[in-house]
């Protein structure tokens, strides 16, 4: 589901990856067959500047149906994923992204299809071939142990076994560990998960719990994520969990799953979920999904949290601030998603600034005091912190302090420059106009200029595009 077609095209152009763009139809169709299909291979990636293999050309995914059984004791998965997609060119071959275990069968619609694998590329030859505009399904059957993926910065993601299940996280490249797909943030889709685990273990996915049925010592959890979701935000995290269901004051259902060993330490952060959602709804606009919650697991080798859609996942007991950060991402990151990974500050800077606002709202330091402190503008001009460009930090520093702290500082400085009225209208409109879509820094600058009526070229130049500690803006 490509909501924002324009920015998708902009990405291909920016990355110089024009292979994904269908060539103009040459006037060479066979006589008597105007518009005869011209089959070619879909592009292997969408040309992301940091992860060029991610995503695929030639089709748009609409829905993933991911069904698997997993046994934490043996770490064995038996899975069938069915992808529903629409062809965007005449295809005689296309790629999926997949790093998972051995495939025993692959079908396009009802027809067995030949396939090969090369790194994260799963190359499929559909027969019959696919015509542009055609809706088709790809069914992939696979079994084995899904891999742990190591990121450019050395951290772990993908399918990370824990002592009672698995911690499942996919930012920026872990989703293909456990399901084949089009793993770029621009190809959002709806998801249904059917996870079968030993009785007593809970499998927690994005969205709403449709059913939970136990038979012969195994429980199947069906989760439905009805709003479009980027693949990196998908999870089905598995373990021993204490589950609580409630709702926010305005009626958004809350599902929390907490490792029993972490219930006491997590109590304060969990108890704040309704207040955080209500406060952010008042500042950022309506909560963008039909449910919320949290998954608090024990995965000490992971060490970070992730804003998995509707239910952020934590690898240890979170502070209230970390809970606020991950819930803020539901607006900025999950609903409004960058078109390319180099714009990661649109996620991390916004979520960080949201926690500054939450801290002030709850009687702590003001946003201005946080801006000034030694983790932020108070850093010495000679600090290496100032030597990373906000709007292109590099894949190793995507989750380093610059997208977070310089990102939040940029928003606070912008607020000072354009005033509270324009600023808070801007960030609310930004969430509404890009709801469930993809966008980029250039679009944010245009929106900020529109909201303020000011020329902000020089402002964003010093804050977002240049190295160095901004001295005036
Ligand atoms: N996006 C996460 C957050 O800020 C952090 C994160 C995701 C991360 N993947 C990562 C941090 C990989 C380090 C490495 O909440
Ligand atoms: Zn974050």
């Amino acid at each position: 589901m490509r909501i924002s077609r324009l920015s998708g095209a902009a990405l291909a152009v920016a990355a110089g990856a024009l292979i994904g763009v269908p060539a103009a139809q040459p006037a060479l169709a066979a006589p008597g067959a105007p518009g005869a299909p011209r089959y070619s291979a879909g592009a292997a990636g969408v040309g992301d500047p940091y992860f060029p293999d991610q995503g695929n050309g030639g089709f748009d995914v609409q829905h993933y149906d991911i069904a698997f059984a997993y046994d934490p004791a043996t770490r064995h998965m038996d899975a069938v994923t069915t992808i529903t997609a629409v062809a965007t060119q005449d295809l005689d071959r296309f790629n999926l992204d997949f790093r998972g275990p051995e495939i025993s069968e692959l079908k396009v619609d009802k027809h067995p299809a030949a396939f090969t694998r090369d790194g994260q590329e799963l190359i499929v030859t559909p027969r019959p071939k696919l015509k542009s505009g055609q809706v088709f399904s790809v069914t992939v059957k696979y079994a084995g142990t899904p891999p742990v993926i190591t990121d450019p910065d050395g951290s772990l993601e993908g399918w990370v076994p824990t002592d009672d299940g698995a911690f499942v996280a996919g930012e920026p490249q872990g989703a293909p560990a456990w399901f084949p797909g089009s793993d770029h943030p621009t190809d959002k889709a709806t998801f249904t998960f059917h996870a079968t685990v030993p009785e007593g273990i809970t499998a927690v996915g994005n969205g709403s719990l449709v059913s939970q049925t136990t038979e012969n010592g195994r429980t199947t959890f069906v989760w439905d994520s009805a709003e479009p979701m980027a693949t990196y935000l998908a999870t089905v995290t598995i373990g021993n969990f204490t589950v609580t269901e409630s709702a926010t004051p305005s009626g958004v259902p809350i599902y929390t799953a907490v490792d029993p060993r972490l219930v006491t330490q997590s109590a304060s952060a969990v108890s704040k979920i309704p207040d955080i959602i209500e406060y952010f709804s008042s500042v950022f606009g309506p909560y963008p999904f039909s449910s919320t919650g949290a998954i608090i697991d024990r995965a000490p080798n992971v060490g970070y949290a992730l804003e998995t859609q509707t239910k952020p996942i934590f690898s240890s007991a979170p502070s209230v601030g970390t809970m606020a950060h991950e819930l803020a991402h539901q607006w900025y990151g999950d609903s409004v998603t960058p078109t390319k990974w180099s714009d990661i500050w649109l996620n991390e800077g916004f979520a960080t600034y949201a926690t500054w606002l939450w801290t002030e709202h709850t009687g702590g330091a003001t946003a201005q005091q946080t801006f000034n402190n030694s983790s932020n503008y108070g850093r010495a001009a000679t600090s290496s912190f100032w030597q990373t460009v906000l709007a292109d930090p590099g894949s190793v520093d995507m989750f380093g302090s610059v997208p977070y702290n310089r990102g939040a500082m940029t928003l606070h400085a912008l607020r000072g420059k354009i005033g509270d009225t324009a600023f808070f209208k801007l960030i609310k409109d930004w969430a509404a106009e890009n709801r469930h879509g993809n966008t980029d820094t250039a679009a944010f600058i245009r929106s900020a200029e529109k909201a303020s009526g000011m020329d902000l070229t020089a402002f964003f130049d010093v804050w977002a595009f240049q190295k160095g500690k901004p001295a005036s803006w």
Side-chain angles (χ1 to χ4, degrees):
M1 194 178 297
R2 234 156 250 162
I3 304 277
S4 166
R5 291 177 179 278
L6 250 188
S7 36
L11 167 61
V13 171
L18 290 161
I19 34 176
V21 179
Q25 184 89 24
L28 287 178
R38 291 183 58 83
Y39 295 103
S40 58
V46 299
D48 188 89
Y50 294 176
F51 301 98
D53 294 340
Q54 283 192 354
N56 303 282
F59 63 93
D60 236 344
V61 178
Q62 300 186 314
H63 186 73
Y64 292 90
D65 185 286
I66 302 169
F68 65 80
Y70 184 72
D71 181 2
T74 60
R75 299 185 176 179
H76 184 84
M77 170 185 278
D78 267 301
V80 180
T81 290
T82 302
I83 299 165
T84 307
V86 55
T88 54
Q89 72 188 63
D90 299 325
L91 285 170
D92 58 9
R93 202 176 84 192
F94 63 83
N95 285 27
L96 295 170
D97 302 310
F98 189 50
R99 300 161 176 255
E102 193 177 343
I103 298 173
S104 58
E105 189 180 274
L106 192 153
K107 287 183 178 175
V108 177
D109 294 326
K110 294 280 169 269
H111 314 285
F115 62 90
T116 56
R117 297 181 69 169
D118 180 12
Q120 81 162 45
E121 299 303 317
L122 168 57
I123 304 149
V124 180
T125 309
R127 291 296 179 271
K129 299 172 187 178
L130 302 167
K131 292 201 181 66
S132 185
Q134 187 178 334
V135 175
F136 63 100
S137 66
V138 188
T139 304
V140 187
K141 200 170 159 190
Y142 48 101
T145 300
V148 178
I149 309 290
T150 303
D151 284 333
D153 70 359
S155 46
L156 304 183
E157 55 161 326
W159 191 274
V160 185
T162 56
D163 58 6
D164 59 3
F167 180 97
V168 181
E171 189 188 29
Q173 49 169 0
W178 60 289
F179 64 93
S182 192
D183 185 37
H184 191 261
T186 47
D187 200 354
K188 297 190 182 189
T190 52
F191 283 72
T192 308
F193 307 97
H194 313 252
T196 300
V197 291
E199 184 175 0
I201 298 291
T202 303
V204 194
N206 312 90
S208 310
L209 182 60
V210 175
S211 64
Q212 175 177 340
T213 47
T214 300
E215 218 178 292
N216 302 323
R218 301 201 304 175
T219 305
T220 298
F221 294 83
V222 179
W223 291 93
D224 190 55
S225 188
E227 293 98 11
M229 176 165 78
T231 48
Y232 79 91
L233 298 168
T235 193
V236 174
T237 284
I238 295 165
N240 207 345
F241 286 117
T242 301
V243 170
T244 308
E245 293 186 73
S246 58
T248 67
S250 53
V252 179
I254 305 174
Y255 183 105
T256 61
V258 184
D259 187 305
R261 294 165 290 189
L262 301 177
V263 167
T264 308
Q265 285 167 269
S266 305
S268 152
V270 168
S271 73
K272 295 290 192 307
I273 293 173
D275 289 353
I276 294 169
I277 296 286
E278 292 302 295
Y279 171 64
F280 286 162
S281 300
S282 75
V283 184
F284 306 144
Y287 179 73
F289 303 113
S290 48
S291 65
T292 190
I295 307 167
I296 301 175
D297 200 1
R298 194 174 162 283
N301 50 345
V302 174
Y304 61 83
L306 177 63
E307 60 267 27
T308 38
Q309 191 158 300
T310 69
K311 290 181 198 71
I313 184 172
F314 302 86
S315 59
S316 61
S319 64
V320 176
T322 301
M323 179 63 76
H325 179 104
E326 303 307 335
L327 292 176
H329 272 308
Q330 302 303 310
W331 283 261
Y332 305 111
D334 296 11
S335 172
V336 181
T337 308
T339 301
K340 50 187 193 295
W341 282 116
S342 46
D343 276 334
I344 189 69
W345 83 275
L346 295 174
N347 289 7
E348 302 306 346
F350 276 69
T352 301
Y353 194 58
T355 66
W356 295 11
L357 296 175
W358 167 260
T359 299
E360 175 168 342
H361 171 72
T362 53
T366 63
Q368 184 62 46
Q369 287 167 337
T370 306
F371 176 92
N372 290 341
N373 76 27
S374 59
S375 304
N376 293 310
Y377 198 69
R379 288 183 198 245
T382 50
S383 164
S384 64
F385 171 85
W386 299 109
Q387 293 311 310
T388 299
V389 171
L390 179 64
D392 186 12
S395 62
V396 176
D397 291 326
M398 284 174 70
F399 304 107
S401 51
V402 169
Y404 291 72
N405 297 54
R406 187 171 178 142
M409 277 186 264
T410 299
L411 292 173
H412 189 72
L414 178 65
R415 176 181 166 190
K417 177 116 186 140
I418 69 178
D420 279 9
T421 307
F423 177 79
F424 286 105
K425 180 178 182 332
L426 167 66
I427 58 172
K428 217 178 222 182
D429 287 352
W430 181 245
E433 284 161 15
N434 299 292
R435 184 173 186 267
H436 299 166
N438 294 91
T439 188
D440 60 17
T441 298
F444 183 65
I445 295 171
R446 284 196 300 276
S447 296
E449 292 189 329
K450 201 175 127 215
S452 63
M454 293 165 74
D455 179 348
L456 297 169
T457 312
F459 175 89
F460 281 104
D461 195 44
V462 295
W463 275 103
F465 300 118
Q466 300 295 334
K467 293 182 181 177
K469 179 174 178 173
S472 62
W473 54 85

